[in-house]
Amino acid sequence: MIRLLLADDHAIVRAGLRAILEESDDIDVVGEVATAEAAIAYCTTTDVDLVLMDLRFGSGTSGVEATATLRDLPNAPNVLVVTNYDTDSDILTAIEAGACGYLLKDTPPAELLAAVRTAAVGQSVLSPAVASKLMTRVRKPESSLSPREIEVLGLVEAGMSNRAIGKALYLSETTVKTHLVHIYAKLGVNSRTSAIARARELGAI
């Protein structure tokens, strides 16, 4: 069972997300909060597997700042950003803060549920719209995979988790996630499986 916390400053958004998520037998929405500070406070006293985090709240701590704080907790929950904002800097800043993935609020319910299950185990996920935006941004002659990105993708192909890849390459787990975001963008994909398949097609791995 995935223990999930909703963090969004709009009650109607939280209600909509809860309605979708609670239809699944493997997801338990254990709480909801309206501020980033409340999300941090909740997770310091309650076991949570995944936080669905808005990027911007009305005031105070941002979703990015809260994500970084949450990921430093002893029993750190995974964080999946769900927001209306899709600028390159927003996406990359959130991932670098430790978020497992990035979805837009217009993501179809089936994709949201799939992303929640993926992010809950610490795997990276991007909504197709976000992956497409990043791909368009980096689609240049120099956008081929770097040696390090090929190395990371090769370990993904071997079935290793982000944490295991980080240990193998002496990188932080956050750095591995950032590499994966760049890989997804360059290959025009939004999942580990698709990245491996596309890289094989291109002869990159």
Side-chain angles (χ1 to χ4, degrees), residues 15-194:
L17 289 171
R18 180 183 281 273
I20 294 169
L21 295 165
E22 289 188 335
E23 290 182 356
S24 297
D25 294 335
D26 60 338
I27 299 173
D28 180 16
V29 180
V30 296
E32 57 179 76
V33 294
T35 67
E37 291 88 348
I40 295 168
Y42 190 98
C43 292
T44 57
T45 59
T46 308
D47 287 334
V48 174
D49 298 313
L50 181 68
V51 179
L52 260 58
M53 179 74 71
D54 194 8
L55 199 63
R56 301 179 191 175
F57 294 82
S59 61
T61 303
S62 71
V64 168
E65 292 168 331
T67 295
T69 300
L70 289 172
R71 294 301 297 154
D72 281 338
L73 293 177
N75 294 313
N78 291 306
V79 178
L80 176 61
V81 170
V82 182
T83 185
N84 287 322
Y85 304 98
D86 65 349
T87 67
D88 297 352
S89 60
D90 284 331
I91 297 164
L92 292 175
T93 300
I95 298 299
E96 287 168 357
C100 285
Y102 200 103
L103 296 184
L104 299 181
K105 287 182 178 176
D106 61 0
T107 296
E111 289 180 16
L112 171 66
L113 292 171
V116 163
R117 295 183 179 110
T118 299
V121 294
Q123 304 297 349
S124 302
V125 60
L126 296 176
S127 70
V130 170
S132 177
K133 180 178 179 61
L134 288 178
M135 178 185 69
T136 300
R137 178 76 176 188
V138 303
R139 187 181 283 156
K140 305 171 184 175
E142 63 270 22
S143 67
S144 57
L145 297 180
S146 70
R148 176 62 91 184
E149 289 165 350
I150 292 171
E151 197 171 15
V152 168
L153 194 52
L155 295 179
V156 170
E157 183 183 26
M160 295 176 67
S161 67
N162 292 349
R163 180 171 296 180
I165 292 170
K167 288 181 179 179
L169 300 180
Y170 301 100
L171 301 173
S172 70
E173 191 172 351
T174 297
T175 299
V176 173
K177 290 175 183 174
T178 301
H179 280 310
L180 283 171
V181 169
H182 293 155
I183 290 168
Y184 289 1
K186 290 180 178 181
L187 297 180
V189 299
N190 67 332
S191 72
R192 298 162 83 90
T193 303
S194 297

